[in-house]
PDB file of all heavy atoms in Angstrom:
ATOM      1  N   ILE H1141      41.430 -20.325 -23.641  1.00 98.00           N
ATOM      2  CA  ILE H1141      41.349 -19.640 -24.962  1.00 98.00           C
ATOM      3  C   ILE H1141      42.751 -19.387 -25.490  1.00 98.00           C
ATOM      4  O   ILE H1141      43.577 -18.837 -24.769  1.00 98.00           O
ATOM      5  CB  ILE H1141      40.528 -18.309 -24.830  1.00 98.00           C
ATOM      6  CG1 ILE H1141      39.087 -18.604 -24.313  1.00 98.00           C
ATOM      7  CG2 ILE H1141      40.556 -17.535 -26.156  1.00 98.00           C
ATOM      8  CD1 ILE H1141      38.303 -17.326 -23.969  1.00 98.00           C
ATOM      9  N   ILE H1142      43.019 -19.859 -26.716  1.00 98.00           N
ATOM     10  CA  ILE H1142      44.290 -19.746 -27.346  1.00 98.00           C
ATOM     11  C   ILE H1142      44.357 -18.554 -28.303  1.00 98.00           C
ATOM     12  O   ILE H1142      43.397 -18.403 -29.090  1.00 98.00           O
ATOM     13  CB  ILE H1142      44.636 -21.058 -28.047  1.00 98.00           C
ATOM     14  CG1 ILE H1142      44.348 -22.285 -27.254  1.00 98.00           C
ATOM     15  CG2 ILE H1142      46.122 -21.025 -28.473  1.00 98.00           C
ATOM     16  CD1 ILE H1142      45.099 -22.442 -25.941  1.00 98.00           C
ATOM     17  N   HIS H1143      45.446 -17.843 -28.272  1.00 98.00           N
ATOM     18  CA  HIS H1143      45.721 -16.683 -29.079  1.00 98.00           C
ATOM     19  C   HIS H1143      47.092 -16.761 -29.820  1.00 98.00           C
ATOM     20  O   HIS H1143      47.894 -17.686 -29.438  1.00 98.00           O
ATOM     21  CB  HIS H1143      45.826 -15.327 -28.194  1.00 98.00           C
ATOM     22  CG  HIS H1143      44.589 -15.158 -27.331  1.00 98.00           C
ATOM     23  ND1 HIS H1143      43.698 -14.199 -27.660  1.00 98.00           N
ATOM     24  CD2 HIS H1143      44.304 -15.727 -26.125  1.00 98.00           C
ATOM     25  CE1 HIS H1143      42.723 -14.199 -26.688  1.00 98.00           C
ATOM     26  NE2 HIS H1143      43.067 -15.121 -25.711  1.00 98.00           N
ATOM     27  N   HIS H1144      47.263 -15.951 -30.713  1.00 97.00           N
ATOM     28  CA  HIS H1144      48.614 -15.713 -31.320  1.00 97.00           C
ATOM     29  C   HIS H1144      48.931 -14.237 -31.190  1.00 97.00           C
ATOM     30  O   HIS H1144      48.124 -13.385 -31.096  1.00 97.00           O
ATOM     31  CB  HIS H1144      48.715 -16.174 -32.759  1.00 97.00           C
ATOM     32  CG  HIS H1144      47.994 -15.419 -33.816  1.00 97.00           C
ATOM     33  ND1 HIS H1144      48.336 -15.283 -35.039  1.00 97.00           N
ATOM     34  CD2 HIS H1144      46.968 -14.584 -33.709  1.00 97.00           C
ATOM     35  CE1 HIS H1144      47.548 -14.525 -35.817  1.00 97.00           C
ATOM     36  NE2 HIS H1144      46.645 -14.106 -34.991  1.00 97.00           N
ATOM     37  N   SER H1145      50.213 -13.884 -31.135  1.00 96.00           N
ATOM     38  CA  SER H1145      50.662 -12.552 -30.923  1.00 96.00           C
ATOM     39  C   SER H1145      50.454 -11.744 -32.215  1.00 96.00           C
ATOM     40  O   SER H1145      50.464 -10.524 -32.185  1.00 96.00           O
ATOM     41  CB  SER H1145      52.137 -12.481 -30.447  1.00 96.00           C
ATOM     42  OG  SER H1145      52.964 -12.921 -31.510  1.00 96.00           O
ATOM     43  N   ALA H1146      50.292 -12.406 -33.371  1.00 93.00           N
ATOM     44  CA  ALA H1146      50.122 -11.808 -34.630  1.00 93.00           C
ATOM     45  C   ALA H1146      51.357 -10.991 -35.100  1.00 93.00           C
ATOM     46  O   ALA H1146      51.302 -10.202 -35.925  1.00 93.00           O
ATOM     47  CB  ALA H1146      48.898 -10.810 -34.674  1.00 93.00           C
ATOM     48  N   GLN H1153      59.309 -12.391 -27.926  1.00 95.00           N
ATOM     49  CA  GLN H1153      58.302 -11.273 -28.047  1.00 95.00           C
ATOM     50  C   GLN H1153      57.654 -10.860 -26.757  1.00 95.00           C
ATOM     51  O   GLN H1153      56.963  -9.863 -26.713  1.00 95.00           O
ATOM     52  CB  GLN H1153      57.165 -11.890 -28.930  1.00 95.00           C
ATOM     53  CG  GLN H1153      57.581 -12.071 -30.398  1.00 95.00           C
ATOM     54  CD  GLN H1153      56.389 -12.459 -31.286  1.00 95.00           C
ATOM     55  OE1 GLN H1153      55.223 -12.321 -30.869  1.00 95.00           O
ATOM     56  NE2 GLN H1153      56.705 -12.932 -32.505  1.00 95.00           N
ATOM     57  N   VAL H1157      55.228  -7.412 -26.203  1.00 96.00           N
ATOM     58  CA  VAL H1157      53.816  -7.572 -25.909  1.00 96.00           C
ATOM     59  C   VAL H1157      53.502  -6.989 -24.606  1.00 96.00           C
ATOM     60  O   VAL H1157      52.438  -6.285 -24.464  1.00 96.00           O
ATOM     61  CB  VAL H1157      53.413  -9.072 -25.984  1.00 96.00           C
ATOM     62  CG1 VAL H1157      51.903  -9.253 -25.444  1.00 96.00           C
ATOM     63  CG2 VAL H1157      53.574  -9.617 -27.472  1.00 96.00           C
ATOM     64  N   HIS H1161      50.744  -3.884 -24.337  1.00 97.00           N
ATOM     65  CA  HIS H1161      49.591  -4.094 -23.460  1.00 97.00           C
ATOM     66  C   HIS H1161      49.565  -3.003 -22.354  1.00 97.00           C
ATOM     67  O   HIS H1161      48.484  -2.501 -21.961  1.00 97.00           O
ATOM     68  CB  HIS H1161      49.526  -5.514 -22.824  1.00 97.00           C
ATOM     69  CG  HIS H1161      49.027  -6.518 -23.800  1.00 97.00           C
ATOM     70  ND1 HIS H1161      48.370  -7.670 -23.344  1.00 97.00           N
ATOM     71  CD2 HIS H1161      49.024  -6.590 -25.115  1.00 97.00           C
ATOM     72  CE1 HIS H1161      48.021  -8.387 -24.390  1.00 97.00           C
ATOM     73  NE2 HIS H1161      48.431  -7.711 -25.549  1.00 97.00           N
ATOM     74  N   VAL H1175      50.852  -7.883 -19.635  1.00 98.00           N
ATOM     75  CA  VAL H1175      50.388  -8.931 -20.626  1.00 98.00           C
ATOM     76  C   VAL H1175      49.000  -9.435 -20.154  1.00 98.00           C
ATOM     77  O   VAL H1175      48.859  -9.802 -18.996  1.00 98.00           O
ATOM     78  CB  VAL H1175      51.376 -10.046 -20.812  1.00 98.00           C
ATOM     79  CG1 VAL H1175      50.737 -11.169 -21.609  1.00 98.00           C
ATOM     80  CG2 VAL H1175      52.621  -9.567 -21.454  1.00 98.00           C
ATOM     81  N   TYR H1177      47.280 -11.976 -21.196  1.00 98.00           N
ATOM     82  CA  TYR H1177      47.112 -13.460 -21.136  1.00 98.00           C
ATOM     83  C   TYR H1177      47.722 -13.975 -19.860  1.00 98.00           C
ATOM     84  O   TYR H1177      48.630 -13.399 -19.244  1.00 98.00           O
ATOM     85  CB  TYR H1177      47.929 -14.067 -22.350  1.00 98.00           C
ATOM     86  CG  TYR H1177      47.795 -13.321 -23.626  1.00 98.00           C
ATOM     87  CD1 TYR H1177      48.814 -12.578 -24.134  1.00 98.00           C
ATOM     88  CD2 TYR H1177      46.588 -13.432 -24.367  1.00 98.00           C
ATOM     89  CE1 TYR H1177      48.668 -11.882 -25.324  1.00 98.00           C
ATOM     90  CE2 TYR H1177      46.525 -12.728 -25.568  1.00 98.00           C
ATOM     91  CZ  TYR H1177      47.423 -11.932 -25.990  1.00 98.00           C
ATOM     92  OH  TYR H1177      47.306 -11.261 -27.177  1.00 98.00           O
ATOM     93  N   HIS H1178      47.191 -15.115 -19.446  1.00 98.00           N
ATOM     94  CA  HIS H1178      47.765 -15.771 -18.216  1.00 98.00           C
ATOM     95  C   HIS H1178      49.130 -16.351 -18.593  1.00 98.00           C
ATOM     96  O   HIS H1178      50.038 -16.337 -17.713  1.00 98.00           O
ATOM     97  CB  HIS H1178      46.825 -16.776 -17.774  1.00 98.00           C
ATOM     98  CG  HIS H1178      45.492 -16.249 -17.222  1.00 98.00           C
ATOM     99  ND1 HIS H1178      44.396 -15.977 -18.045  1.00 98.00           N
ATOM    100  CD2 HIS H1178      45.159 -15.810 -16.079  1.00 98.00           C
ATOM    101  CE1 HIS H1178      43.489 -15.419 -17.359  1.00 98.00           C
ATOM    102  NE2 HIS H1178      43.905 -15.294 -16.180  1.00 98.00           N
ATOM    103  N   TYR H1179      49.272 -16.846 -19.812  1.00 98.00           N
ATOM    104  CA  TYR H1179      50.625 -17.470 -20.172  1.00 98.00           C
ATOM    105  C   TYR H1179      50.920 -17.057 -21.568  1.00 98.00           C
ATOM    106  O   TYR H1179      50.023 -16.753 -22.422  1.00 98.00           O
ATOM    107  CB  TYR H1179      50.495 -19.002 -20.210  1.00 98.00           C
ATOM    108  CG  TYR H1179      50.236 -19.576 -18.882  1.00 98.00           C
ATOM    109  CD1 TYR H1179      48.934 -19.918 -18.415  1.00 98.00           C
ATOM    110  CD2 TYR H1179      51.279 -19.836 -17.959  1.00 98.00           C
ATOM    111  CE1 TYR H1179      48.686 -20.379 -17.202  1.00 98.00           C
ATOM    112  CE2 TYR H1179      51.021 -20.375 -16.704  1.00 98.00           C
ATOM    113  CZ  TYR H1179      49.751 -20.628 -16.354  1.00 98.00           C
ATOM    114  OH  TYR H1179      49.531 -21.203 -15.095  1.00 98.00           O
ATOM    115  N   PHE H1180      52.229 -16.895 -21.835  1.00 98.00           N
ATOM    116  CA  PHE H1180      52.772 -16.594 -23.121  1.00 98.00           C
ATOM    117  C   PHE H1180      53.842 -17.632 -23.434  1.00 98.00           C
ATOM    118  O   PHE H1180      54.660 -17.913 -22.715  1.00 98.00           O
ATOM    119  CB  PHE H1180      53.416 -15.197 -23.006  1.00 98.00           C
ATOM    120  CG  PHE H1180      53.757 -14.551 -24.357  1.00 98.00           C
ATOM    121  CD1 PHE H1180      52.773 -13.848 -25.090  1.00 98.00           C
ATOM    122  CD2 PHE H1180      54.932 -14.795 -24.941  1.00 98.00           C
ATOM    123  CE1 PHE H1180      53.103 -13.283 -26.302  1.00 98.00           C
ATOM    124  CE2 PHE H1180      55.262 -14.260 -26.235  1.00 98.00           C
ATOM    125  CZ  PHE H1180      54.322 -13.459 -26.909  1.00 98.00           C
ATOM    126  N   VAL H1181      53.636 -18.192 -24.706  1.00 98.00           N
ATOM    127  CA  VAL H1181      54.617 -19.248 -25.132  1.00 98.00           C
ATOM    128  C   VAL H1181      55.499 -18.676 -26.277  1.00 98.00           C
ATOM    129  O   VAL H1181      54.972 -18.396 -27.356  1.00 98.00           O
ATOM    130  CB  VAL H1181      53.855 -20.494 -25.579  1.00 98.00           C
ATOM    131  CG1 VAL H1181      54.852 -21.637 -25.892  1.00 98.00           C
ATOM    132  CG2 VAL H1181      52.924 -20.990 -24.453  1.00 98.00           C
ATOM    133  N   GLU H1182      56.756 -18.494 -26.044  1.00 97.00           N
ATOM    134  CA  GLU H1182      57.669 -18.119 -27.070  1.00 97.00           C
ATOM    135  C   GLU H1182      57.843 -19.116 -28.161  1.00 97.00           C
ATOM    136  O   GLU H1182      57.574 -20.312 -27.861  1.00 97.00           O
ATOM    137  CB  GLU H1182      59.056 -17.741 -26.457  1.00 97.00           C
ATOM    138  CG  GLU H1182      59.004 -16.499 -25.544  1.00 97.00           C
ATOM    139  CD  GLU H1182      58.913 -15.222 -26.213  1.00 97.00           C
ATOM    140  OE1 GLU H1182      58.825 -15.114 -27.455  1.00 97.00           O
ATOM    141  OE2 GLU H1182      58.937 -14.132 -25.518  1.00 97.00           O
ATOM    142  N   GLU H1186      59.507 -21.669 -24.531  1.00 97.00           N
ATOM    143  CA  GLU H1186      59.577 -21.090 -23.165  1.00 97.00           C
ATOM    144  C   GLU H1186      58.146 -20.533 -22.824  1.00 97.00           C
ATOM    145  O   GLU H1186      57.564 -19.829 -23.550  1.00 97.00           O
ATOM    146  CB  GLU H1186      60.536 -19.907 -23.117  1.00 97.00           C
ATOM    147  CG  GLU H1186      60.558 -19.279 -21.740  1.00 97.00           C
ATOM    148  CD  GLU H1186      61.462 -18.014 -21.650  1.00 97.00           C
ATOM    149  OE1 GLU H1186      61.927 -17.552 -22.715  1.00 97.00           O
ATOM    150  OE2 GLU H1186      61.632 -17.487 -20.583  1.00 97.00           O
ATOM    151  N   ILE H1188      55.961 -18.308 -20.254  1.00 98.00           N
ATOM    152  CA  ILE H1188      56.097 -17.228 -19.291  1.00 98.00           C
ATOM    153  C   ILE H1188      54.695 -16.981 -18.680  1.00 98.00           C
ATOM    154  O   ILE H1188      53.783 -16.755 -19.392  1.00 98.00           O
ATOM    155  CB  ILE H1188      56.534 -15.974 -19.954  1.00 98.00           C
ATOM    156  CG1 ILE H1188      57.870 -16.233 -20.649  1.00 98.00           C
ATOM    157  CG2 ILE H1188      56.737 -14.787 -18.945  1.00 98.00           C
ATOM    158  CD1 ILE H1188      58.405 -15.159 -21.525  1.00 98.00           C
ATOM    159  N   HIS H1199      42.205 -10.606 -22.256  1.00 97.00           N
ATOM    160  CA  HIS H1199      42.600 -11.209 -23.551  1.00 97.00           C
ATOM    161  C   HIS H1199      41.354 -11.479 -24.456  1.00 97.00           C
ATOM    162  O   HIS H1199      41.569 -11.529 -25.643  1.00 97.00           O
ATOM    163  CB  HIS H1199      43.340 -12.519 -23.284  1.00 97.00           C
ATOM    164  CG  HIS H1199      42.593 -13.554 -22.513  1.00 97.00           C
ATOM    165  ND1 HIS H1199      41.712 -14.445 -22.957  1.00 97.00           N
ATOM    166  CD2 HIS H1199      42.673 -13.761 -21.137  1.00 97.00           C
ATOM    167  CE1 HIS H1199      41.235 -15.192 -21.950  1.00 97.00           C
ATOM    168  NE2 HIS H1199      41.844 -14.817 -20.891  1.00 97.00           N
ATOM    169  N   GLY H1209      43.802 -17.547 -20.531  1.00 98.00           N
ATOM    170  CA  GLY H1209      44.297 -17.155 -21.839  1.00 98.00           C
ATOM    171  C   GLY H1209      45.697 -17.550 -22.112  1.00 98.00           C
ATOM    172  O   GLY H1209      46.577 -17.332 -21.202  1.00 98.00           O
ATOM    173  N   ILE H1210      45.987 -18.181 -23.178  1.00 98.00           N
ATOM    174  CA  ILE H1210      47.364 -18.560 -23.565  1.00 98.00           C
ATOM    175  C   ILE H1210      47.652 -17.914 -24.912  1.00 98.00           C
ATOM    176  O   ILE H1210      46.844 -18.143 -25.850  1.00 98.00           O
ATOM    177  CB  ILE H1210      47.517 -20.086 -23.604  1.00 98.00           C
ATOM    178  CG1 ILE H1210      47.118 -20.784 -22.348  1.00 98.00           C
ATOM    179  CG2 ILE H1210      48.900 -20.466 -24.070  1.00 98.00           C
ATOM    180  CD1 ILE H1210      47.029 -22.269 -22.452  1.00 98.00           C
ATOM    181  N   CYS H1211      48.741 -17.277 -25.014  1.00 98.00           N
ATOM    182  CA  CYS H1211      49.178 -16.662 -26.322  1.00 98.00           C
ATOM    183  C   CYS H1211      50.451 -17.337 -26.808  1.00 98.00           C
ATOM    184  O   CYS H1211      51.364 -17.450 -26.042  1.00 98.00           O
ATOM    185  CB  CYS H1211      49.421 -15.185 -26.165  1.00 98.00           C
ATOM    186  SG  CYS H1211      49.871 -14.341 -27.688  1.00 98.00           S
ATOM    187  N   LEU H1212      50.491 -17.733 -28.054  1.00 98.00           N
ATOM    188  CA  LEU H1212      51.627 -18.245 -28.702  1.00 98.00           C
ATOM    189  C   LEU H1212      52.237 -17.144 -29.591  1.00 98.00           C
ATOM    190  O   LEU H1212      51.590 -16.491 -30.364  1.00 98.00           O
ATOM    191  CB  LEU H1212      51.285 -19.385 -29.675  1.00 98.00           C
ATOM    192  CG  LEU H1212      50.487 -20.554 -29.005  1.00 98.00           C
ATOM    193  CD1 LEU H1212      50.121 -21.589 -30.095  1.00 98.00           C
ATOM    194  CD2 LEU H1212      51.382 -21.257 -27.993  1.00 98.00           C
ATOM    195  N   ALA H1213      53.578 -16.998 -29.399  1.00 97.00           N
ATOM    196  CA  ALA H1213      54.269 -15.951 -30.127  1.00 97.00           C
ATOM    197  C   ALA H1213      54.342 -16.330 -31.674  1.00 97.00           C
ATOM    198  O   ALA H1213      54.619 -17.535 -31.971  1.00 97.00           O
ATOM    199  CB  ALA H1213      55.689 -15.793 -29.686  1.00 97.00           C
ATOM    200  N   GLY H1214      53.934 -15.435 -32.517  1.00 96.00           N
ATOM    201  CA  GLY H1214      53.993 -15.736 -33.889  1.00 96.00           C
ATOM    202  C   GLY H1214      52.722 -15.262 -34.616  1.00 96.00           C
ATOM    203  O   GLY H1214      51.704 -14.946 -33.920  1.00 96.00           O
ATOM    204  N   PHE H1216      50.136 -16.723 -37.022  1.00 97.00           N
ATOM    205  CA  PHE H1216      49.698 -17.948 -37.633  1.00 97.00           C
ATOM    206  C   PHE H1216      48.670 -17.729 -38.771  1.00 97.00           C
ATOM    207  O   PHE H1216      48.019 -18.653 -39.163  1.00 97.00           O
ATOM    208  CB  PHE H1216      49.195 -18.909 -36.566  1.00 97.00           C
ATOM    209  CG  PHE H1216      50.261 -19.132 -35.413  1.00 97.00           C
ATOM    210  CD1 PHE H1216      49.956 -18.985 -34.139  1.00 97.00           C
ATOM    211  CD2 PHE H1216      51.546 -19.364 -35.801  1.00 97.00           C
ATOM    212  CE1 PHE H1216      50.903 -19.141 -33.147  1.00 97.00           C
ATOM    213  CE2 PHE H1216      52.544 -19.473 -34.831  1.00 97.00           C
ATOM    214  CZ  PHE H1216      52.234 -19.348 -33.554  1.00 97.00           C
ATOM    215  N   GLN H1225      56.698 -24.950 -29.469  1.00 97.00           N
ATOM    216  CA  GLN H1225      55.433 -24.272 -28.966  1.00 97.00           C
ATOM    217  C   GLN H1225      54.298 -25.311 -28.783  1.00 97.00           C
ATOM    218  O   GLN H1225      53.624 -25.267 -27.779  1.00 97.00           O
ATOM    219  CB  GLN H1225      55.007 -23.182 -29.944  1.00 97.00           C
ATOM    220  CG  GLN H1225      55.732 -21.911 -29.836  1.00 97.00           C
ATOM    221  CD  GLN H1225      55.300 -20.887 -30.824  1.00 97.00           C
ATOM    222  OE1 GLN H1225      55.243 -21.139 -32.048  1.00 97.00           O
ATOM    223  NE2 GLN H1225      55.018 -19.692 -30.318  1.00 97.00           N
ATOM    224  N   LEU H1229      52.588 -26.088 -25.286  1.00 98.00           N
ATOM    225  CA  LEU H1229      51.167 -25.708 -25.143  1.00 98.00           C
ATOM    226  C   LEU H1229      50.422 -26.946 -24.659  1.00 98.00           C
ATOM    227  O   LEU H1229      49.536 -26.799 -23.713  1.00 98.00           O
ATOM    228  CB  LEU H1229      50.514 -25.337 -26.636  1.00 98.00           C
ATOM    229  CG  LEU H1229      49.073 -25.118 -26.616  1.00 98.00           C
ATOM    230  CD1 LEU H1229      48.691 -23.916 -25.747  1.00 98.00           C
ATOM    231  CD2 LEU H1229      48.625 -24.931 -28.007  1.00 98.00           C
ATOM    232  N   LEU H1232      51.083 -27.371 -20.991  1.00 98.00           N
ATOM    233  CA  LEU H1232      50.434 -26.362 -20.293  1.00 98.00           C
ATOM    234  C   LEU H1232      48.887 -26.581 -20.116  1.00 98.00           C
ATOM    235  O   LEU H1232      48.312 -26.533 -19.070  1.00 98.00           O
ATOM    236  CB  LEU H1232      50.715 -25.014 -20.929  1.00 98.00           C
ATOM    237  CG  LEU H1232      50.188 -23.762 -20.237  1.00 98.00           C
ATOM    238  CD1 LEU H1232      50.698 -23.632 -18.745  1.00 98.00           C
ATOM    239  CD2 LEU H1232      50.622 -22.486 -21.041  1.00 98.00           C
ATOM    240  N   CYS H1258      42.305 -14.672 -34.999  1.00 97.00           N
ATOM    241  CA  CYS H1258      43.173 -15.146 -33.955  1.00 97.00           C
ATOM    242  C   CYS H1258      42.648 -16.517 -33.443  1.00 97.00           C
ATOM    243  O   CYS H1258      41.490 -16.622 -33.140  1.00 97.00           O
ATOM    244  CB  CYS H1258      43.212 -14.138 -32.750  1.00 97.00           C
ATOM    245  SG  CYS H1258      44.315 -14.543 -31.471  1.00 97.00           S
TER     246      CYS H1258
END
Side-chain angles (χ1 to χ4, degrees):
I1141 302 175
I1142 313 297
H1143 304 258
H1144 71 152
S1145 67
Q1153 294 186 12
V1157 170
H1161 283 204
V1175 170
Y1177 317 105
H1178 295 88
Y1179 296 95
F1180 192 88
V1181 183
E1182 293 284 3
E1186 177 188 7
I1188 303 166
H1199 56 86
I1210 302 171
C1211 182
L1212 303 175
F1216 307 130
Q1225 282 178 306
L1229 178 65
L1232 184 56
C1258 186

